[in-house]
Amino acid sequence: MAYSGALLKINNIHIVGLKEYEVNRSKLWKEAGRNMNGDISATMIGVFPKLELTFRDALTEEEISTIETLLDLPYFDVTYYDPKYRGSRTAKYYANDYTVGLLERKRGLFKSFTVHLIPVSKEG
C-alpha cells in the first residue's frame, strides 16, 4: 500500500515544495582498519538516516521564509517518511549549509536548492 501521510514535517510544520526526497542510510564506524591479510576490523556505531532534499523552482517568498526559518534553527524535530519502515519516523536533526538564489525578482520567486538534514543520533 502506498504511503499517504506527510512526506516531511519540521517542528510539526508540513514542508512544501519538495522536488526530490532521498533517505541516505549512512553507517558510522569506529576503530576501522585492515589487517595484513586485508580483512577489515571495525565496530559499527549505528545507522544515521540523512535526508537529502531538493526544493523545486519558483518557491514564493513566504514559502522560502518558512523553510529557511526552520532550517536555520540549531536543531529541530523532523517527522519524515522512511521506506525501510514503510511509515513515518521522528528524530532530532540539523541542516547543513545551503544556498538560496533569486529566480525572478518581480514576482519574488526563488531557484531550486538542495539541503541535507543530518540526524543528531543513530537510528534507534
Side-chain angles (χ1 to χ4, degrees):
M1 176 180 275
Y3 179 71
S4 61
L7 191 59
L8 181 71
K9 289 183 181 181
I10 298 177
N11 285 348
N12 214 28
I13 296 172
H14 183 255
I15 302 302
V16 299
L18 285 173
K19 180 173 120 178
E20 294 179 25
Y21 173 90
E22 295 180 353
V23 180
N24 177 330
R25 303 195 54 80
S26 302
K27 294 179 184 176
L28 184 61
W29 301 86
K30 72 175 184 173
E31 302 170 4
R34 293 194 180 268
N35 64 23
M36 295 302 287
N37 291 329
D39 298 329
I40 193 162
S41 173
T43 302
M44 190 166 109
I45 295 172
V47 175
F48 293 75
K50 178 172 67 172
L51 305 178
E52 300 178 10
L53 312 175
T54 301
F55 289 88
R56 65 171 168 76
D57 269 340
L59 289 174
T60 65
E61 289 176 322
E62 183 178 336
E63 291 167 332
I64 283 289
S65 177
T66 299
I67 293 166
E68 284 193 76
T69 298
L70 293 167
L71 294 178
D72 287 350
L73 294 170
Y75 301 102
F76 40 82
D77 291 325
V78 175
T79 301
Y80 64 98
Y81 171 69
D82 189 329
K84 176 182 176 183
Y85 297 99
R86 298 186 301 174
S88 65
R89 301 194 37 99
T90 301
K92 189 168 290 300
Y93 278 75
Y94 66 93
N96 73 330
D97 296 343
Y98 61 94
T99 301
V100 175
L102 192 59
L103 177 66
E104 191 176 318
R105 181 177 163 188
K106 287 184 180 180
R107 293 194 302 160
L109 301 177
F110 292 83
K111 292 180 184 177
S112 174
F113 75 97
T114 300
V115 65
H116 295 174
L117 305 185
I118 302 144
V120 171
S121 302
K122 67 182 177 181
E123 178 179 83

